[in-house]
């Protein structure tokens, strides 16, 4: 697939295991020019080398809770890219204390933080990206099955992912007027930094290996392949969708 000349703005690379890294690598292999962001200074030394490896046009700090960072990021986009064809949103966070124990005990701060970083950021970044996007541009975000079914310890993040998926539909409807598509990938569990914050994650991985139709866990590359489809003309009529890349686990009943 030739996506030569397309420009992608990537949110969510923390290290080589990040889903955003797998997606960026795949897009690069198909000719896309990349611009990277990282959440905070402590990640700079990890993300900059990855940006260099993939020939990133820029690599800037963007904490999605910081309006000044967002302004600076889009100023860089304006200077270095001029337009955006693809926006990858692979960002989520909830305090560790709210990713274990009883959901009913979720803290007010934890709830607000999870919603701001994992959901509002998509809406806000879409708003900032819209002036740089035109017919055929796409936005993709990452969600998880815990949005629709109860997954032990996923707790407040499940509620945030439900709001994220709903946001995808509202954004898709509005931005669709301009021919901009917005979709989510519901990925099966992958051992990343974010996943390590969820108690009992190993048990989830073992369950997928044993029970999913494909009898294996998915990889970042599996997600990247579907991302490539969603970022290309092959999915030209697809928007507002949640597409599962989960070895088929979501189709199972008892
Ligand atoms: N790993 C899984 O099992 C899995 C499954 C389904 C969906 N997802 C989703 O995929 C996405 C990417 O997660 P991942 O698994 O690659 O883990 P990851 O830890 O590599 O990525 C999460 C990213 O969110 C960023 N982030 C957190 N707070 C931020 C902030 N304030 N500003 C900017 N960035 C911030 C982190 O820096 C990190 O780069 C998340 O939305 C996650 O919920 C992951």
């Amino acid at each position: 697939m030739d996506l030569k000349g397309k420009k992608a703005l990537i949110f969510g690379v923390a290290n080589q295991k990040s889903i955003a890294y797998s997606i960026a690598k795949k897009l690069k292999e198909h000719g896309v020019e990349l611009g990277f962001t990282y959440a905070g200074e402590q990640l700079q030394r990890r993300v900059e080398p990855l940006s260099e490896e993939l020939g990133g046009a820029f690599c800037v700090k963007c904490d999605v809770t910081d309006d000044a960072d967002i302004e600076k990021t889009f100023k860089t986009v304006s200077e270095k890219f001029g337009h955006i064809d693809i926006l990858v949103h692979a960002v989520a966070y909830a305090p560790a204390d709210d990713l274990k124990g009883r959901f009913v005990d979720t803290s007010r701060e934890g709830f607000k933080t999870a919603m701001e970083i994992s959901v509002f950021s998509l809406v806000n970044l879409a708003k900032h990206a819209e002036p740089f996007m035109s017919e055929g541009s796409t936005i993709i975000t990452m969600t998880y099955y815990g949005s629709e079914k109860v997954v032990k310890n996923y707790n407040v993040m499940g509620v945030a992912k439900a709001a994220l998926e709903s946001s995808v539909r509202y954004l898709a409807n509005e931005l669709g007027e301009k021919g901009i598509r917005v979709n989510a990938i519901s990925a099966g569990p992958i051992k990343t930094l974010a996943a390590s914050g969820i108690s009992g994650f190993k048990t989830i991985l073992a369950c997928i290996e044993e029970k999913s139709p494909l009898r294996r866990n998915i990889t970042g590359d599996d997600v990247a392949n579907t991302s490539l489809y969603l970022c290309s003309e092959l999915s030209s009529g697809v928007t507002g969708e949640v597409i599962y890349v989960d070895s088929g686990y979501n189709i199972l009943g008892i």
Side-chain angles (χ1 to χ4, degrees):
M1 191 173 313
D2 188 7
L3 297 179
K4 223 178 192 160
K6 302 260 184 219
K7 297 185 192 303
L9 179 59
I10 314 282
F11 291 87
V13 176
N15 55 39
Q16 258 173 321
K17 291 185 177 166
S18 296
I19 292 174
Y21 173 77
S22 298
I23 296 171
K25 195 160 171 277
K26 183 70 66 178
L27 293 176
K28 171 75 183 173
E29 284 163 15
H30 292 267
V32 177
E33 196 180 344
L34 306 168
F36 289 90
T37 63
Y38 53 88
E41 268 98 23
Q42 71 282 13
L43 283 177
Q44 184 173 7
R45 67 184 174 85
R46 285 190 192 279
V47 183
E48 268 180 359
L50 299 177
S51 167
E52 272 167 38
E53 173 202 319
L54 299 178
F58 56 85
C59 183
V60 294
K61 175 179 165 283
C62 187
D63 177 341
V64 295
T65 65
D66 185 333
D67 286 336
D69 273 7
I70 293 174
E71 293 301 331
K72 269 190 237 160
T73 299
F74 282 91
K75 193 163 178 284
T76 308
V77 164
S78 165
E79 288 162 7
K80 305 264 183 182
F81 272 180
H83 74 277
I84 303 170
D85 300 291
I86 297 164
L87 189 148
V88 175
H89 175 274
V91 169
Y93 176 79
D97 280 351
D98 291 307
L99 294 173
K100 60 183 176 200
R102 300 181 78 211
F103 170 66
V104 75
D105 292 328
T106 302
S107 66
R108 187 188 299 269
E109 271 317 300
F111 194 96
K112 280 196 210 165
T113 302
M115 293 298 278
E116 181 179 12
I117 298 181
S118 319
V119 186
F120 179 68
S121 63
L122 175 72
V123 182
N124 200 24
L125 293 177
K127 176 181 168 162
H128 283 81
E130 186 183 0
F132 295 97
M133 294 186 133
S134 54
E135 175 91 31
S137 298
T138 60
I139 298 175
I140 56 170
T141 187
M142 299 298 133
T143 186
Y144 178 60
Y145 185 61
S147 65
E148 54 191 296
K149 295 283 188 281
V150 175
V151 174
K152 196 169 180 228
N153 294 322
Y154 203 59
N155 296 3
V156 69
M157 194 49 84
V159 174
K161 291 302 191 192
L164 181 76
E165 291 170 17
S166 184
S167 301
V168 163
R169 292 185 281 272
Y170 278 89
L171 290 171
N173 185 45
E174 281 177 10
L175 302 185
E177 279 183 14
K178 281 193 178 175
I180 302 167
R181 298 184 294 109
V182 187
N183 290 287
I185 292 175
S186 186
I190 302 177
K191 216 171 157 201
T192 62
L193 201 62
S196 66
I198 299 156
S199 305
F201 190 72
K202 273 191 191 153
T203 314
I204 299 177
L205 286 173
C207 172
I208 300 295
E209 205 169 303
E210 189 197 341
K211 298 197 169 128
S212 71
L214 293 180
R215 267 60 164 199
R216 68 166 177 89
N217 276 292
I218 62 147
T219 63
D221 206 45
D222 290 321
V223 179
N225 283 334
T226 296
S227 303
L228 186 64
Y229 156 75
L230 284 175
C231 293
S232 78
E233 274 294 299
L234 289 180
S235 60
S236 54
V238 178
T239 194
E241 293 295 338
V242 176
I243 297 186
Y244 295 92
V245 180
D246 67 346
S247 295
Y249 186 77
N250 75 91
I251 67 165
L252 296 178
I254 294 173

